[in-house]
Structures are given as structure tokens and as C-alpha cells.
Amino acid sequence: MTQKILEQGYTQNRELSWLQFNARVLAEAEDENVPLLERFKFLAIFTSNLDEFFMIRVGSLFDMVHTDEKAVDSRSGMTAGEQLAKIYEAVAPLYKERDKTYADIK
């Protein structure tokens, strides 16, 4: 599943590229060749990363929506609202995969 998330091609937007990076962290937790406790550590890192991502990056985008909702990011060509929609769309399967991975490891 994480491989499918990785293949979505998020390379034009800083936040979406970051989510792709964090999906690779989750993939390490799914890898059965990785020692068991290390897999749990990767799950913890993944979750901690997402917490920080929402506090900092998503929080900033949320603020931008309320201050200048028509401002467009020069690299991705998306407004803050469009970026948030893409982030929410990308994060939902990551959380489901994290929960499934945790259950499998446990």
C-alpha cells in the first residue's frame, strides 16, 4: 500500500513532497527485513513527523487561507486551500496504513 502512496508523484509541492518522504519512513516500518523494535521506532518517527507537519506546515497553510486565500504558491501553482485539500487527501491513506502496520507488527 505504501508503494502506491509513493507513486503518486508529489514532487512539485513542498508539503506533498514531504508527505512522500514520510511515506518512505512508513515503508521502513512495513519492511519485514527490519528488526521488530526498529519497525516500531519507524512507526513512532512517522507519527511524530506527521504531528509536527500538521502543527507547522498545515498550520501555516491554514493561516494563509484566512489571510489571503487567493495567493498562489509560485512553485506548485496552488492556493493554500488547494494545497490543504491535497494534503488531506494524501494523509488519510497514510494514517490507515500506519494503523494497519501497527496491528501487523503487534
Side-chain angles (χ1 to χ4, degrees):
M1 175 64 171
T2 300
Q3 188 60 36
K4 181 184 268 187
I5 294 166
L6 291 173
E7 292 171 358
Q8 291 180 0
Y10 297 135
T11 58
Q12 298 300 318
N13 180 273
R14 175 181 152 181
E15 282 72 21
L16 297 175
S17 293
W18 189 92
L19 287 175
Q20 187 180 28
F21 159 76
N22 210 35
R24 291 192 301 271
V25 174
L26 181 58
E28 288 295 318
E30 294 173 334
D31 186 349
E32 293 180 3
N33 294 319
V34 174
L36 185 63
L37 291 179
E38 293 296 315
R39 293 174 70 192
F40 274 119
K41 285 181 185 180
F42 280 116
L43 278 177
I45 292 166
F46 170 84
T47 303
S48 176
N49 284 350
L50 275 181
D51 286 347
E52 182 177 345
F53 176 77
F54 272 91
M55 286 187 289
I56 305 301
R57 293 189 179 190
V58 173
S60 295
L61 287 172
F62 191 78
D63 289 344
M64 287 174 63
V65 167
H66 294 296
T67 57
D68 188 3
E69 66 184 54
K70 294 182 183 182
V72 175
D73 177 62
S74 62
R75 290 189 180 138
S76 67
M78 292 189 285
T79 65
E82 291 169 335
Q83 291 178 68
L84 286 171
K86 292 279 189 183
I87 288 168
Y88 297 149
E89 181 182 325
V91 165
L94 287 174
Y95 274 119
K96 286 180 185 175
E97 190 66 22
R98 189 261 333 248
D99 293 345
K100 179 188 173 301
T101 303
Y102 174 76
D104 290 347
I105 294 172
K106 189 175 141 189

